Amino acid sequence: MKAHHDQHFLIDQNAINRIADLTEVNGKKVLEIGPGNGALTRALLERGARVHAIELDGILCEVLSNTFSRELSSGQFTLQHGDATRCPIPPFDRCVSNLPYSASSNITFRLLDIGFEEAVLMYQSEFADRMVARAGTKECGRLSIMVQTYAAVKPCFRLPPQSFSPRPEVNSTVVRIVPREPIFFVRDRRLYADVVRALFSHRRKTVRNCLRGSTGSMLSPVWVERVLSELPDEILTSRPEALYLEDFATIANIA
């Protein structure tokens, strides 16, 4: 079967079983984004999950409807034809998915906004590495900060290209994400997100210059001037990649 919309079908049955066993799904409402030909879907259903799948490709939706017609009839499986970056997503407990590479960032941020118990997600390895990069290191970026602010993230295992069909040109990494409250108090999540976005839009500049050139929806000139007058020079003269989670919270919490 031909892959559509940047999908690579997982064909390694051992890997499929490992992914399905990384989180308890029995009796849980499990969201699967990009089910493709249904290999992981079947493993989840066999483990007692109630799966809601969102698939962008209409042809694959037809395949999935035929493959899981019995589960559709029983209500154990529901299928939604749509784009997971923007379509309505019903309530769910856990998310287990082989995400399309091109939409990984948007989908991850959206899932964190919605909230869930736990997620097991597969990413391009380079993306996963950036997600778990420690704050205060050169590898750290907006993705690292936003995910680690609101969740505990743990890489589980890597998969080579031969685990998929067609073979991607990169390795993939399975990651477990468990949401939690921020370690450091965040007064306004929208403002915090705008601050992080503004700082990493110009990561080679100092924090002072990043904020002066910011255009975030909540970063008004008045607010920026207040921040510049209250922050210590230690933060203002640093580059965003040198900041820690506490520093981002300190900036965003200035009223």
Side-chain angles (χ1 to χ4, degrees):
M1 183 183 296
K2 183 179 179 181
H4 297 267
H5 301 298
D6 152 67
Q7 279 191 313
H8 300 272
F9 301 137
L10 186 57
I11 58 174
D12 181 337
Q13 189 59 48
N14 179 58
I16 292 169
N17 290 331
R18 288 180 71 187
I19 293 169
D21 289 334
L22 278 172
T23 184
E24 178 58 58
V25 298
N26 186 29
K28 297 286 187 179
K29 291 181 287 186
V30 176
L31 174 68
E32 185 184 8
I33 295 171
N37 59 7
L40 180 56
T41 311
R42 182 172 300 283
L44 294 170
L45 292 170
E46 289 174 350
R47 286 159 175 76
R50 289 174 287 151
V51 178
H52 180 84
I54 300 178
E55 175 55 57
L56 179 61
D57 190 285
I59 295 175
L60 291 174
C61 282
E62 293 182 15
V63 172
L64 291 163
S65 295
N66 292 329
T67 301
F68 300 108
S69 58
R70 185 178 63 180
E71 290 81 1
L72 280 167
S73 298
S74 69
Q76 187 184 3
F77 177 63
T78 53
L79 179 61
Q80 180 178 350
H81 181 202
D83 181 348
T85 65
R86 65 190 68 179
C87 71
I89 295 180
F92 64 97
D93 302 316
R94 306 198 169 189
C95 181
V96 182
S97 304
N98 173 15
L99 297 180
Y101 293 154
S102 62
S104 293
S105 182
N106 288 339
I107 292 174
T108 300
F109 287 142
R110 188 172 189 205
L111 292 177
L112 286 170
D113 284 340
I114 293 172
F116 52 89
E117 293 177 2
E118 186 169 294
V120 175
L121 305 174
M122 189 188 304
Y123 298 101
Q124 181 177 335
S125 288
E126 181 182 355
F127 184 93
D129 290 344
R130 286 191 285 116
M131 179 182 290
V132 301
R134 293 173 58 187
T137 66
K138 290 185 177 182
E139 294 75 23
C140 177
R142 176 183 171 230
L143 174 69
S144 323
I145 296 300
M146 290 303 298
V147 173
Q148 293 175 39
T149 295
Y150 299 113
V153 189
K154 180 183 178 182
C156 298
F157 57 89
R158 291 199 177 206
L159 290 173
Q162 54 265 35
S163 297
F164 302 84
S165 178
R167 294 186 180 187
E169 297 180 355
V170 296
N171 291 322
S172 300
T173 298
V174 178
V175 174
R176 180 191 283 126
I177 302 175
V178 181
R180 56 162 170 71
E181 286 300 308
I183 298 173
F184 303 103
F185 172 71
V186 173
R187 183 175 58 84
D188 186 315
R189 290 195 174 205
R190 285 183 57 207
L191 177 59
Y192 184 87
D194 269 358
V195 166
V196 175
R197 183 184 298 108
L199 292 178
F200 283 106
S201 294
H202 307 283
R203 60 183 299 148
R204 294 302 174 189
K205 295 183 179 181
T206 63
V207 170
R208 177 183 283 110
N209 289 335
C210 286
L211 291 174
R212 280 180 172 160
S214 62
T215 57
S217 60
M218 299 186 70
L219 309 187
S220 68
V222 172
W223 181 86
V224 169
E225 288 306 314
R226 184 181 303 124
V227 170
L228 294 179
S229 68
E230 294 188 22
L231 283 178
D233 280 345
E234 180 182 359
I235 292 180
L236 289 173
T237 57
S238 297
R239 289 179 177 177
E241 63 192 24
L243 300 181
Y244 295 93
L245 292 178
E246 183 178 12
D247 298 323
F248 288 98
T250 297
I251 297 169
N253 288 341
I254 294 178

